[in-house]
């Protein structure tokens, strides 16, 4: 064997032996534990997910998911530093290691999954129909029966009319460039229903329990998950464990209390015996 070939073989072997060691240098879980607090990315302008309350505190369902992870790490929901970020900063802040974890009503898509690693889902979003509690139409069946006699208000979007007609094919559709105008149309009876995110619908009902009702129909499902930087399976496994046990196990009371506070719904306690998530 020539000296050149021997040197090349030695270099290849050295690289292959060092690769596993390099792969193990990234350990976000250990990094966070040594730091003593979680750096958590979320928003601040979208109730009930994340917003600043009257006490100037950042609150919401996404915020509570961060506190749940902090509690799992340190036994303290306050062991957390919030990075308030815009929607378009969610992926860049993970990529540059500015945050350890992002929970910000982030819809799971195949395109995004090429850039981040998604956790198990913690919420299933969809579109719902908001009605006035004292309005002419009591539920989805009544809206269907009314056919073309009703008008549905919706936030302006290139797919808005198609989306509404997937649920109510004969309804007229009025599009508005802000959610406030959309709800004003409903309040003034210029529209008999408003098509909006189920989470927003539930939040409005929590805030105005005698004013609005849910028509009882949801469609256009999408999954919300938290996200971590790719490449650290141990950290992803840890966050998945925390979220899963929040929804189905030992931390269920924490998750259920938050769900009730922000969405006004009582969750059934997980069934004892066979794990329901595997049915």
């Amino acid at each position: 064997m020539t000296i050149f070939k021997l040197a090349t073989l030695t270099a290849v072997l050295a690289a292959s032996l060092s690769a596993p060691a390099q792969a193990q240098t990234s350990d976000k879980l250990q990094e966070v534990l040594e730091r003593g607090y979680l750096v958590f990315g979320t928003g601040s302008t979208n109730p009930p997910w994340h917003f600043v309350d009257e006490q100037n505190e950042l609150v919401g369902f996404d915020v509570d998911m961060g506190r749940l992870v902090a509690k799992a790490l340190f036994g303290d929901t306050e062991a957390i530093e919030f990075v308030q970020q815009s929607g378009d900063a969610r992926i860049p802040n993970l990529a540059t290691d500015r945050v350890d974890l992002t929970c910000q009503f982030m819809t799971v898509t195949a395109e995004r999954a090429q850039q981040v690693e998604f956790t198990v889902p913690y919420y299933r979003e969809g579109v719902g129909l908001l009605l006035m509690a004292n309005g002419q139409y009591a539920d989805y069946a009544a809206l269907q029966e009314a056919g073309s006699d009703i008008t549905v208000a919706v936030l302006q979007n290139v797919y808005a009319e198609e989306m509404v007609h997937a649920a109510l094919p004969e309804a007229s559709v009025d599009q508005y460039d802000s959610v406030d105008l959309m709800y004003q149309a409903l309040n003034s009876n210029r529209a008999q229903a408003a098509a909006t995110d189920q989470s927003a619908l539930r939040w409005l009902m929590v805030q105005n329990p005698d004013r609005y009702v849910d028509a009882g129909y949801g469609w256009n499902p999408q999954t919300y998950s938290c996200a971590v930087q790719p490449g650290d399976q141990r950290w992803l496994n840890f966050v998945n464990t925390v979220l899963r046990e929040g929804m189905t196990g030992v931390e269920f009371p924490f998750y259920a209390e938050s769900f009730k506070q922000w969405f006004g719904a009582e969750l059934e306690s997980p069934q004892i015996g066979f794990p329901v998530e595997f049915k």
Side-chain angles (χ1 to χ4, degrees), residues 53-65:
D53 67 9
E54 294 177 354
Q55 288 72 47
N56 204 34
E57 296 288 333
L58 187 64
V59 297
F61 193 65
D62 281 337
V63 175
D64 285 348
M65 294 304 99

Side-chain angles (χ1 to χ4, degrees), residues 90 104-109 112 118 125 221-225:
R90 292 175 295 190
Q104 192 173 347
F105 63 2
M106 192 172 183
T107 302
V108 176
T109 67
R112 286 174 174 167
F118 284 112
E125 186 62 280
Q222 54 184 289
T223 300
Y224 287 171
S225 290

Side-chain angles (χ1 to χ4, degrees), residues 138-181:
D139 53 24
Y140 177 62
L143 293 174
Q144 281 186 304
E145 186 175 347
S148 60
D149 290 339
I150 63 165
T151 298
V152 177
V154 65
L155 190 64
Q156 191 171 20
N157 185 287
V158 65
Y159 302 112
E161 191 159 341
E162 178 183 346
M163 179 190 72
V164 172
H165 285 158
L168 296 167
E170 300 177 48
S172 297
V173 179
D174 282 352
Q175 300 187 41
Y176 296 88
D177 59 11
S178 76
V179 291
D180 290 341
L181 292 175

Side-chain angles (χ1 to χ4, degrees), residues 9 31 48 78 86 100 139 150 196 210 219 247 264:
L9 178 60
E31 175 190 328
E78 299 298 320
S86 61
D100 304 319
D139 53 24
I150 63 165
T196 187
D210 299 320
W219 74 106
M247 292 180 284

Side-chain angles (χ1 to χ4, degrees), residues 23-31 117 228-238:
Q24 293 301 316
T25 58
S26 175
D27 190 339
K28 176 62 72 174
L29 176 57
Q30 191 61 37
E31 175 190 328
E117 293 197 42
V228 300
Q229 189 182 73
D232 194 331
Q233 190 64 44
R234 186 178 182 220
W235 178 235
L236 177 61
N237 288 348
F238 177 80

Side-chain angles (χ1 to χ4, degrees), residues 2 7 14 37-38 95 99 123 125-126 131 136 147 177 214 219 231 241 264-265 269 276:
T2 66
Y37 59 90
L38 174 71
V99 300
Y123 187 83
E125 186 62 280
L131 306 175
Q136 180 179 354
D177 59 11
D214 182 355
W219 74 106
T241 298
S269 182
V276 67

